[in-house]
């Protein structure tokens, strides 16, 4: 009988940590290296994030990969991307693509290997205490894992977020799961191109 994955842990000061333990992180990092995914933005993934945001009518969308310590948005769409002439400085763009592993809900999606729908994060005590709620004002989240065909491992996620509550509904869930499959297909096409 395997031990359950702990979802509630405590730091040395006794404060609750809400990020699940991720035993697959080292193997995931190795697999992402095989795929050629590192710490650089991927224009194709930015375009995918833009399409994801438009499809789900969300202000933010990400293609997110997670290692032992952080999350990296290899694909990113923000409200500034929809306004012509608004550009981030290179340093700002780089910083905006990195987030601590204990921020947000994508680490939960990766460990659970299932989509997560939070129409109002404040309705869920486990998720309402996440730093992005107070620091950034995120109120709703919809994310799905990117399951690698070859290893069965969750490599990362695609997700959309909003600063307002959102009734994502069954259609939103089905859409994000379908688009996650499209992203996995792109990852394998990238791998095939690299081997050619």
């Amino acid at each position: 009988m395997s031990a359950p994955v702990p979802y509630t842990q405590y730091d040395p000061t006794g404060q609750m940590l809400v990020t699940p333990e991720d035993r697959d992180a080292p193997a995931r990092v190795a697999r992402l290296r095989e795929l050629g995914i590192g710490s650089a933005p991927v224009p194709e993934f930015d375009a995918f994030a833009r399409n994801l945001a438009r499809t789900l009518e969300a202000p933010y969308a990400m293609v997110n990969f997670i290692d032992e310590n952080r999350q990296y948005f290899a694909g990113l769409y923000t409200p500034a991307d929809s306004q012509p002439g608004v550009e981030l400085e290179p340093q700002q763009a780089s910083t905006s693509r990195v987030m601590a592993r204990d921020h947000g809900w994508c680490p939960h999606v990766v460990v659970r290997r299932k989509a997560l729908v939070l129409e109002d994060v404040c309705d869920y005590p486990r998720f309402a205490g996440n730093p992005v709620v107070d620091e950034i004002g995120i109120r709703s989240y919809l994310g799905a894992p990117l399951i690698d065909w070859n290893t069965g491992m969750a490599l990362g996620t695609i997700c959309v977020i909003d600063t307002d509550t959102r009734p994502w509904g069954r259609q939103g869930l089905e859409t994000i799961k379908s688009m996650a499959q499209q992203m996995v297909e792109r990852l394998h096409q990238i791998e095939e191109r690299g081997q050619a």
Side-chain angles (χ1 to χ4, degrees), residues 142 168-180:
L142 177 63
W168 302 111
R170 165 77 47 198
Q171 183 168 351
L173 175 62
E174 294 305 319
T175 298
I176 197 123
K177 287 164 66 174
S178 172
M179 293 190 77

Short mmCIF file of all heavy atoms in Angstrom, two decimals, residues 142 168-180:
data_model
loop_
_atom_site.label_atom_id
_atom_site.label_comp_id
_atom_site.label_asym_id
_atom_site.label_seq_id
_atom_site.Cartn_x
_atom_site.Cartn_y
_atom_site.Cartn_z
N LEU A 142 -8.04 27.82 -13.96
CA LEU A 142 -8.42 26.63 -14.71
C LEU A 142 -7.15 26.09 -15.35
O LEU A 142 -6.50 26.79 -16.13
CB LEU A 142 -9.45 26.99 -15.80
CG LEU A 142 -9.92 25.89 -16.74
CD1 LEU A 142 -10.65 24.78 -15.97
CD2 LEU A 142 -10.83 26.46 -17.81
N TRP A 168 -16.20 28.71 -15.03
CA TRP A 168 -15.56 28.00 -16.15
C TRP A 168 -16.48 26.92 -16.70
O TRP A 168 -16.53 26.69 -17.90
CB TRP A 168 -14.24 27.38 -15.72
CG TRP A 168 -13.23 28.35 -15.18
CD1 TRP A 168 -12.81 28.43 -13.87
CD2 TRP A 168 -12.50 29.36 -15.88
NE1 TRP A 168 -11.87 29.43 -13.74
CE2 TRP A 168 -11.67 30.01 -14.96
CE3 TRP A 168 -12.50 29.78 -17.21
CZ2 TRP A 168 -10.83 31.06 -15.31
CZ3 TRP A 168 -11.65 30.83 -17.58
CH2 TRP A 168 -10.83 31.44 -16.64
N GLY A 169 -17.17 26.20 -15.82
CA GLY A 169 -18.15 25.20 -16.23
C GLY A 169 -17.55 23.98 -16.91
O GLY A 169 -16.34 23.87 -17.10
N ARG A 170 -18.41 23.06 -17.27
CA ARG A 170 -18.01 21.81 -17.92
C ARG A 170 -17.33 22.10 -19.26
O ARG A 170 -16.35 21.48 -19.62
CB ARG A 170 -19.24 20.93 -18.12
CG ARG A 170 -19.09 19.79 -19.07
CD ARG A 170 -18.36 18.58 -18.59
NE ARG A 170 -18.73 18.06 -17.31
CZ ARG A 170 -17.93 17.22 -16.65
NH1 ARG A 170 -16.78 16.85 -17.15
NH2 ARG A 170 -18.28 16.75 -15.49
N GLN A 171 -17.84 23.10 -20.01
CA GLN A 171 -17.26 23.41 -21.31
C GLN A 171 -15.83 23.93 -21.15
O GLN A 171 -14.94 23.56 -21.92
CB GLN A 171 -18.11 24.42 -22.06
CG GLN A 171 -17.56 24.70 -23.45
CD GLN A 171 -18.53 25.46 -24.32
OE1 GLN A 171 -19.69 25.65 -23.97
NE2 GLN A 171 -18.06 25.88 -25.48
N GLY A 172 -15.60 24.78 -20.15
CA GLY A 172 -14.25 25.26 -19.91
C GLY A 172 -13.31 24.13 -19.57
O GLY A 172 -12.18 24.08 -20.06
N LEU A 173 -13.76 23.19 -18.74
CA LEU A 173 -12.94 22.03 -18.37
C LEU A 173 -12.60 21.19 -19.59
O LEU A 173 -11.44 20.82 -19.80
CB LEU A 173 -13.68 21.20 -17.31
CG LEU A 173 -13.00 19.89 -16.91
CD1 LEU A 173 -11.64 20.15 -16.27
CD2 LEU A 173 -13.90 19.11 -15.96
N GLU A 174 -13.60 20.90 -20.41
CA GLU A 174 -13.35 20.09 -21.61
C GLU A 174 -12.42 20.83 -22.58
O GLU A 174 -11.55 20.21 -23.20
CB GLU A 174 -14.67 19.73 -22.29
CG GLU A 174 -15.55 18.79 -21.48
CD GLU A 174 -14.85 17.52 -21.05
OE1 GLU A 174 -14.09 16.94 -21.86
OE2 GLU A 174 -15.03 17.10 -19.89
N THR A 175 -12.58 22.14 -22.69
CA THR A 175 -11.72 22.92 -23.59
C THR A 175 -10.28 22.87 -23.13
O THR A 175 -9.38 22.65 -23.94
CB THR A 175 -12.22 24.37 -23.67
OG1 THR A 175 -13.54 24.38 -24.21
CG2 THR A 175 -11.32 25.21 -24.55
N ILE A 176 -10.02 23.09 -21.84
CA ILE A 176 -8.63 23.12 -21.39
C ILE A 176 -7.99 21.74 -21.49
O ILE A 176 -6.82 21.62 -21.84
CB ILE A 176 -8.48 23.72 -19.97
CG1 ILE A 176 -7.03 24.12 -19.74
CG2 ILE A 176 -8.89 22.75 -18.88
CD1 ILE A 176 -6.81 25.53 -19.38
N LYS A 177 -8.76 20.69 -21.26
CA LYS A 177 -8.21 19.33 -21.41
C LYS A 177 -7.87 19.05 -22.86
O LYS A 177 -6.81 18.48 -23.17
CB LYS A 177 -9.20 18.31 -20.86
CG LYS A 177 -9.27 18.32 -19.33
CD LYS A 177 -10.48 17.61 -18.77
CE LYS A 177 -10.49 16.15 -19.00
NZ LYS A 177 -11.61 15.47 -18.31
N SER A 178 -8.73 19.47 -23.78
CA SER A 178 -8.47 19.28 -25.21
C SER A 178 -7.24 20.07 -25.65
O SER A 178 -6.39 19.57 -26.40
CB SER A 178 -9.70 19.70 -26.00
OG SER A 178 -9.43 19.71 -27.38
N MET A 179 -7.13 21.30 -25.16
CA MET A 179 -5.98 22.12 -25.55
C MET A 179 -4.69 21.60 -24.92
O MET A 179 -3.60 21.74 -25.50
CB MET A 179 -6.24 23.58 -25.21
CG MET A 179 -7.38 24.15 -26.08
SD MET A 179 -7.59 25.92 -25.97
CE MET A 179 -6.23 26.51 -27.00
N ALA A 180 -4.77 20.97 -23.76
CA ALA A 180 -3.59 20.34 -23.16
C ALA A 180 -3.09 19.22 -24.08
O ALA A 180 -1.87 19.07 -24.28
CB ALA A 180 -3.91 19.80 -21.76
#
